[in-house]
Structures are given as structure tokens and as C-alpha cells.
Amino acid sequence: MILISDSATYLYCKDGDFEATTMEDGPHRFALKYQVGKNEKLTLTLNEAVVRRFGLEFKSKVLPYGAERLRADDAYNLGICSRTDCGRDGFPRIPKADAKPAELQGFNYAKSTPSDQKRGNGCHLFIDDYQFERLWNSPAQYLGVLRGYDCVLTPDFSLYMDMPDPMQEWNRYRSAALGWYWAQNGITVVPTLSWAQPSSYKFCFKSIPKHSTVATSTVGVARDKDAQKVWHDSMREAMKRLEPSLGAAFLLPTRDETCR
């Protein structure tokens, strides 16, 4: 069965004997070009004869009431964390953690690492954002990958100084929402501390429980005196507000993306 729509999003080829498929857009009229067998090229137009001969179905772009809202819910991950899951500060509350993994492995190795090599270890996300953005885009898809670790650190979405405050707060919310979602699915979650300028203090510690194991990183700090001052000032603020039980885990990625 081939399903044709006036949006290429809904084009599926299920018969298995089509080597290539392209579609030209047009209002309720399509030219479907494909190859069958040995380079035999056919051009089909959506009409009654085609429907009868090839078993085609037309799916209109007109969606039932509420479908667009569901798309928005998916885009913002309201299915994994909504307003009802958040406290008065607008953030979900990540459960208190008591974790001390032997090592921390970068998420970019998580899919290729066997489960037996994950036991006793944790998974960190002190890597470039593009390498873990997929966790936000497809959260359910990676639950199985993360469950093998003893603990998982919340995503370290970047908080750059030149970002507007609302953008920084959105990245902190995304980190908290994924952490809350993972915890609801049986994963031990260690909150990651991150901050920017002092104005970020009003939201960067939200969702993080007191007296919990927490994690942070000094990547990009050692060679920059201004960055060192921001880091130390912010770390003192975090210690005062959160009173972590084991102190913060100062995680320094080595070349193989493993933290010790």
C-alpha cells in the first residue's frame, strides 16, 4: 500500500518493490515518479484509475480538530512534563539523589556501550549540545539506552552569557524536564548545576533539591580568569542554596569523554 498526501510527510512506500520515490507538490494532484523492476519509469497522477490499479489512498492535509494542538504538545514535550508536574516556581522537582558512580561516560558513547559495561557507572552530558539535542526531540527513544547506568546527569544545555535570560531559562527548564521524566521512568538522576551571569540565579537553581548529590563541570574555565571568577562566585551561591550532601562532583572530561 502506498499512502499519498498533499504533504510529503505522509508519503509511505510499503510494497518493498520501489527503488526510488519522489513527489511533486500540487493542490490535490500529484505526479508520483518511481522505478519498478529494471529501470522502468512510470508517472502516476492521482485519479480513479490509479487508485484502482495500484491501491493508492489519498490523505488530505485537513486534520481533525485538535490534531494541531497535539503537534504542539509533542514539539514542547508536554506529554512528558506539563504544568501539573511543576511546582509554584514553574519547574518540575527532580528527586534527591545519592549517587557516587565509579566513572562517568559521555552520552555520545551510550548507544554503543554494552549494558554490562554501564553498571556501576554514570552518564554525563558535558559535551556539545548538538550531540544530545536528540534526547529532547525523542525522549522516549533513549530511555532504554540510559537505564543501564547507575545514574544519569541532567543535560547540560548551554547557558551562554550573550543569551537573553528567557532563552537561558528555557534551557534550564528543558534540563529539569528531562531529569524529571527520567526519574519517573526509574532512572537515578543527578542534577547538573549550570549558570551564567548573576541574573541567572533567579532560575538556574530551580528544580534542584537540597542535600542531594549534584554535578558540575569546569570545562572552559581553567584558562579564562573572568570565567573562573564567575564559576567560583556561582559555585559559592549553589553551595549556600543547595547544601549538597556529598559536595558537588567536579567532573573533568578527559579525551575519551570519560569523567573521573
Side-chain angles (χ1 to χ4, degrees), residues 236-257:
R236 282 191 287 270
E237 186 70 20
M239 297 292 285
K240 181 175 67 176
R241 294 190 184 210
L242 303 175
E243 303 172 359
S245 60
L246 301 178
F250 304 118
L251 307 170
L252 304 175
T254 62
R255 291 181 181 178
D256 64 353
E257 299 294 345

Side-chain angles (χ1 to χ4, degrees), residues 137-206:
N137 294 333
S138 305
Q141 183 177 336
Y142 293 93
L143 285 176
V145 174
L146 298 176
R147 281 197 178 108
Y149 292 102
D150 278 20
C151 65
V152 178
L153 277 57
T154 56
D156 187 36
F157 289 111
S158 295
L159 304 184
Y160 297 122
M161 291 286 198
D162 56 352
M163 282 181 172
D165 281 8
M167 187 180 295
Q168 293 177 352
E169 187 167 7
W170 169 241
N171 272 350
R172 283 299 303 147
Y173 168 78
R174 292 201 296 162
S175 176
L178 283 174
W180 187 89
Y181 173 66
W182 294 340
Q184 299 305 303
N185 283 274
I187 295 173
T188 298
V189 176
V190 174
T192 296
L193 305 181
S194 58
W195 43 69
Q197 67 289 337
S199 64
S200 69
Y201 296 170
K202 65 180 180 289
F203 55 79
C204 70
F205 302 117
K206 290 181 178 181

